[in-house]
Amino acid sequence: MKIGVLALQGDFSEHINSIRRIGVEAAEIRLPHQLSDLDGLIIPGGESTTIGKLANAYDLLEPLRAFGRQKAIWGTCAGAIFLSKDAHRPQHLLGLMDIVVERNAFGRQVDSFEIDLDIPALCQDDEQHLPYHAVFIRAPLIERVEQDAQVLAALPDGRIVAAQQGRLLATSFHPELTQDDRFHRYFASLARESTGGPELRQE
Ligand code: GLN
């Protein structure tokens, strides 16, 4: 099991640390051929416009789309924007998830905030139902989920901040900036599922 983290820009090293902490091999990904032996890929927070431009410059857009049609991808914050099909601005998007996002929906950097969320999907084996402490930094909102995408987490007022579509995951917040590894474990389980079948595994 090996999870890659797209390392073009943003807080990729924090994701690498979280992945290693849960005992899974992690690798920084910058070139298309490096995708070939991965079970899943994380696209970190940063600036979605910059990540899109660099992905385009390194000929990564199509390889990333092909990867996401077969395997697990998780985008956090800027990564979630990059996974979406619509961010209301002209910028490179992978368009893999049927979600529409609003960038910087909570205002400027100084309007960053932290809040405890109830995320049932993370609590399946956890009878205590511990809240999830979520960190938002110039975060996007997931304005709406369409077609096969589903809401995974929302703020108390109902605004959507995490969505899932099969093996694809988008969070407005930054699990890699906390010591709570439940989201990374959840993603690792999706990645494991996506490479379970003999038609995808070539070993
Ligand atoms: N504001 C950034 C964007 O729109 C996302 C910020 C983040 O990833 N923390 O791309």
Side-chain angles (χ1 to χ4, degrees):
M1 169 89 160
K2 181 171 167 187
I3 291 184
V5 183
L6 192 65
L8 301 176
Q9 189 262 341
D11 74 334
F12 50 86
S13 20
E14 284 77 2
H15 273 295
I16 295 270
N17 293 341
S18 301
I19 293 292
R20 292 193 176 140
R21 208 161 51 223
I22 64 168
V24 172
E25 187 182 347
E28 294 183 7
I29 303 302
R30 294 187 180 82
L31 297 168
H33 74 86
Q34 295 173 319
L35 294 168
S36 61
D37 66 341
L38 299 180
D39 300 287
L41 178 77
I42 295 176
I43 304 176
E47 267 302 321
S48 57
T49 321
T50 308
I51 292 173
K53 274 185 194 161
L54 291 171
N56 184 45
Y58 293 152
D59 290 326
L60 270 161
L61 290 172
E62 275 315 315
L64 287 172
R65 288 182 185 122
F67 186 89
R69 284 193 286 270
Q70 287 214 308
K71 300 205 180 167
I73 303 187
W74 171 23
T76 58
C77 204
I81 297 167
F82 191 44
L83 272 180
S84 77
K85 67 173 187 185
D86 188 355
H88 301 298
R89 298 193 198 188
Q91 66 182 87
H92 293 290
L93 299 175
L94 294 179
L96 283 167
M97 284 186 79
D98 295 318
I99 58 174
V100 178
V101 300
E102 182 191 349
R103 290 180 62 187
N104 306 327
F106 302 95
R108 295 146 53 99
Q109 197 84 9
V110 289
D111 300 312
S112 298
F113 64 100
E114 303 185 14
I115 189 171
D116 283 344
L117 297 176
D118 178 35
I119 306 182
L122 295 186
C123 299
Q124 277 157 2
D125 310 318
D126 166 19
E127 285 159 18
Q128 295 175 338
H129 226 77
L130 286 177
Y132 188 84
H133 190 74
V135 179
F136 292 79
I137 303 170
R138 277 190 85 210
L141 254 187
I142 300 173
E143 224 170 78
R144 51 181 200 276
V145 297
E146 296 178 345
Q147 295 174 45
D148 297 331
Q150 293 183 337
V151 176
L152 204 59
L155 295 173
D157 64 10
R159 288 183 293 172
I160 306 164
V161 289
Q164 180 171 353
Q165 182 171 349
R167 299 177 291 260
L168 305 173
L169 209 55
T171 57
S172 299
F173 47 87
H174 290 272
E176 74 284 9
L177 298 183
T178 71
Q179 296 296 309
D180 186 341
D181 292 327
R182 280 180 293 168
F183 244 107
H184 286 83
R185 288 181 200 282
Y186 185 67
F187 179 66
S189 72
L190 295 179
R192 205 169 280 123
E193 276 169 28
S194 73
T195 47
E199 70 282 2
L200 294 176
R201 255 267 187 259
Q202 284 158 10
E203 289 180 350

